Amino acid sequence: MIWKVFQIVLWLAAAAYAVVGVVAITGMLGSAREADMVFGLMFLIIGAVSAFVTFLANKSRGWLILAPLILCAGLPLALIAAFWIDMEKGDVHRRQLDEEMRSGRYDFGDQPALLAVAQAISANDQDAIRAAAKAVPDLQAPGRDGTTLLCWAVRETWQRPQLVDSVKTLLSLGADPNFTNGHRDSFAMGNAVHGSARLLQSILLLDRGADINSTVPETESDSTGYTLLLYTTQNGLHDSREYADALHLLERGADPNRVAADGMTLAKMLAQHREHFTKGQGAPAEFAPLWEWAETHGIVGQTK
């Protein structure tokens, strides 16, 4: 009697493997199709082999020992499959989120007028931008988390430099490069000097009236009140190209003597960075010209 019950349990387990295999092959698990097919076939094979071995147990009970071993061998496969499917779902979600951000739906999806402008920006269609902007009374109107169209467009140029043309169009329509509503994602100049070297080097925003000494909004926790110069120099520790951007700001007239709310100055920051590099692998090539400029203009000597 016990052997019969055990055999029934094995039949049910084999059937469960088969069902999981069919579900995976038909794509009901929601992961990538290739992964569905591979794992589905493997589960079907395990279920079929286990069922066959269980059937042979009718002739010899010795097969009942092999059947559970086959089923147990499928457990690691189940864990791997679950992990793989979870990773695939996460990747699909990430791609969907990236697409929403690139199209503007993430930041402006609940505001049709702003979304229309954002989608035109994403397509880099200047005529469409001008047409859609007619339905937007205020180009500084905030989207999600305070994001403005200009700030969003500048940020998008990090990955798509060709969108600089769309930034130019926004500026020509009256987008204010100095506007901020207190949120980081409304601070266009912060994005212009952070990663988007082409915008900075083309002097696009600066030539359109952007304040070169504007400060980081309050929501930027570790840089609140820092001028663009301090903000850019600070980021040099993470991306040495930021030092070149800081030098460009100085050459454009940024004030090197501004003091942040926490007492930080350009002189102090450069001294700290230089000390950091002397203890590490040395300063990057972009740091030397910035340091030389500070020395030449008597800035570094102000450090106490």
Side-chain angles (χ1 to χ4, degrees), residues 1-11 58 61 64:
M1 181 64 180
I2 295 177
W3 289 106
K4 286 294 183 181
V5 172
F6 186 48
Q7 190 174 15
I8 292 173
V9 172
L10 292 177
W11 277 113
N58 291 323
R61 290 181 178 178
L64 289 178

Side-chain angles (χ1 to χ4, degrees), residues 233-234 236-237 243 269-277 287:
T233 304
Q234 180 187 51
L237 285 176
Y243 290 128
M269 186 174 290
L270 288 176
Q272 290 175 0
H273 286 204
R274 192 184 194 196
E275 182 179 0
H276 170 79
F277 293 133
F287 182 76

